[in-house]
Amino acid sequence: MNKELTFHINNMAYTINVNESLEKEITKYFDPKKGNDTRDLLAAYIQISQEYSIFKRDIEEISDKLTQI
């Protein structure tokens, strides 16, 4: 089920539609209940990008191992 999620960044409100799992991932690093600035947004982006990069590397390693079998 989709839900509207509103973030306040540099005194501007931004509303997006997300499902529950995406909401949980986004709010892990970015608090929608407080006024954020661009620095907070960038920090959240970098943290999520780092998680993705590690996940991608792990999947590639598993994939390589499977092709060797």
Side-chain angles (χ1 to χ4, degrees):
M1 180 170 187
N2 284 346
K3 174 182 177 182
E4 284 192 346
L5 188 59
T6 301
F7 294 100
H8 298 276
I9 305 166
N10 294 335
N11 298 319
M12 299 281 294
Y14 300 93
T15 301
I16 58 174
N17 288 315
V18 295
N19 60 31
E20 287 182 25
S21 63
L22 184 56
E23 177 186 11
K24 191 184 314 182
E25 289 299 314
I26 290 174
T27 57
K28 187 179 354 178
Y29 300 112
F30 200 68
D31 188 0
K33 296 177 182 151
K34 72 170 196 155
N36 297 284
D37 60 19
T38 309
R39 179 181 29 205
D40 299 324
L41 179 62
L42 180 59
Y45 173 78
I46 290 170
Q47 289 172 315
I48 290 173
S49 295
Q50 183 178 20
E51 264 188 17
Y52 170 77
S53 178
I54 292 167
F55 177 73
K56 181 180 174 192
R57 185 195 67 219
D58 292 347
I59 294 297
E60 288 171 350
E61 288 175 3
I62 292 168
S63 178
D64 289 344
K65 288 178 183 178
L66 288 174
T67 56
Q68 294 173 1
I69 292 178

